[in-house]
Amino acid sequence: MEKFLQDLFKGQSYDEKNFFLIAGPCVIESEELLSEVAEKVKAICTKLGIPYIFKSSYRKANRTSASSFTGLGDELGLGLLHKTGQRFQLPTTTDIHAHDEAAPAAKFADILQIPAFLCRQTDLLVSAAETGKIINVKKGQFLSGPAMKFAVEKIRQAGNDKIILTERGTTFGYQDLVVDYRNIPWMKEHGVPVVMDCTHSLQQPNQTSGVTGGNPQLIGTIAKASLAAGADGLFIETHPNPAVAKSDGANMLKLDLLEELLTTLVKLRKAL
């Protein structure tokens, strides 16, 4: 495991041969939701020896419909993210969408996540890199794994070598995504840890209803295949009741199903 990840997980008890997990509700809806998810996922990860990063977005800038929920407000959302991390002694991550969001978000989060649609935005990548935080760049749905070398180069040239790349599927037609597992070893060739986003890769975007669809019943399939392909970490958005979630409910994993899935995945990892 890279030194910057070892430092990030310092204080957690985990199996160094395990994959690491980035998990949480898609968007910050309330303090109660963050606490419920963080507490339950941390307990599962501690039991299974999985290093854990808590994820929830303080702002959702990329929504299909203008009426979609975007957040509780930046100050409140970032404050709740930081409070959750402190309370449960967990590293945290959140999306940023513009260069002027990087420095403010870096005061509250340990990892800055660059959304897939924005992975080519030079000013965003450079501003994020200059905070000195770990930068997790999601591969664009329109890019190949080898092409992500340019995002890595931009961050490194800005003086930051703490980089994670995340695969999240490739656009297939107008309303679907497919996962090309070749991208996992290809992106590992850039000398960075690679994560598989097991939930967003199952989205069905651009629905005429204005609400993105999904296939959460295949989360386990995506997770197993990605570990077999060499993924270092998994990204799984989870919610106690995805049916009422304010963002991406159609592709999130129900919280009650997480432990069984992770138990299976740890066994698979050990077999590999």
Side-chain angles (χ1 to χ4, degrees):
M1 186 183 292
E2 283 75 5
K3 176 70 162 55
F4 70 84
L5 286 176
Q6 291 177 348
D7 292 341
L8 184 72
F9 296 127
K10 195 172 294 183
Q12 292 191 39
S13 176
Y14 62 90
D15 182 347
E16 291 184 0
K17 295 182 180 180
N18 246 335
F19 57 89
F20 63 91
L21 178 69
I22 303 173
C26 180
V27 66
I28 295 171
E29 301 176 20
S30 67
E31 182 174 355
E32 292 75 20
L33 173 65
L34 299 191
S35 294
E36 179 180 358
V37 175
E39 182 175 22
K40 290 185 178 179
V41 179
K42 180 180 180 179
I44 295 169
C45 288
T46 299
K47 176 181 177 181
L48 297 175
I50 301 171
Y52 173 42
I53 300 162
F54 180 79
K55 184 271 170 185
S56 196
S57 296
Y58 75 96
R59 185 201 299 183
K60 296 299 292 184
N62 176 28
R63 303 305 311 274
T64 302
S65 171
S67 62
S68 297
F69 178 77
T70 58
L72 300 172
D74 293 357
E75 185 175 348
L76 177 57
L78 285 169
L80 290 175
L81 180 70
H82 181 71
K83 183 177 180 180
T84 303
Q86 290 292 302
R87 178 182 176 188
F88 295 100
Q89 293 298 293
L90 292 170
T92 60
T93 184
T94 188
D95 296 310
I96 59 171
H97 311 86
H99 70 278
D100 57 356
E101 291 181 42
K107 296 177 182 178
F108 298 91
D110 300 288
I111 301 174
L112 300 181
Q113 181 173 285
I114 309 299
F117 283 121
L118 301 175
C119 68
R120 288 172 46 128
Q121 296 296 108
T122 301
D123 61 345
L124 176 58
L125 291 171
V126 171
S127 296
E130 290 176 343
T131 67
K133 296 289 186 174
I134 298 169
I135 312 301
N136 178 21
V137 188
K138 288 196 169 184
K139 182 186 74 64
Q141 302 93 321
F142 44 86
L143 287 177
S144 68
M148 287 299 288
K149 71 176 182 178
F150 300 109
V152 172
E153 287 174 355
K154 290 175 184 178
I155 296 169
R156 285 180 173 154
Q157 288 171 8
N160 191 334
D161 198 40
K162 296 181 288 188
I163 305 164
I164 298 170
L165 293 180
T166 295
E167 165 64 27
R168 52 97 71 234
T170 302
T171 298
F172 185 73
Y174 289 111
Q175 296 174 320
D176 206 357
L177 296 166
V178 294
V179 176
D180 181 351
Y181 291 97
R182 296 177 300 174
N183 284 320
I184 293 175
W186 279 340
M187 290 197 291
K188 286 171 70 75
E189 290 177 0
H190 303 317
V192 300
V194 173
V195 170
M196 182 69 223
D197 184 339
C198 304
T199 42
H200 290 95
S201 58
L202 290 167
Q203 282 183 331
Q204 293 178 313
N206 304 318
Q207 301 295 313
T208 55
S209 64
V211 179
T212 297
N215 289 293
Q217 70 276 12
L218 294 174
I219 290 172
T221 301
I222 296 290
K224 293 170 190 174
S226 63
L227 289 180
D232 301 290
L234 300 176
F235 179 110
I236 300 175
E237 287 190 337
T238 184
H239 193 285
N241 186 1
V244 301
K246 294 184 178 181
S247 177
D248 281 356
N251 51 270
M252 275 197 282
L253 182 70
K254 196 171 189 299
L255 185 57
D256 287 346
L257 301 177
L258 184 63
E259 182 170 1
E260 181 179 359
L261 173 60
L262 291 178
T263 300
T264 299
L265 295 175
V266 166
K267 292 178 181 178
L268 174 61
R269 177 67 172 224
K270 288 180 178 179
L272 290 169

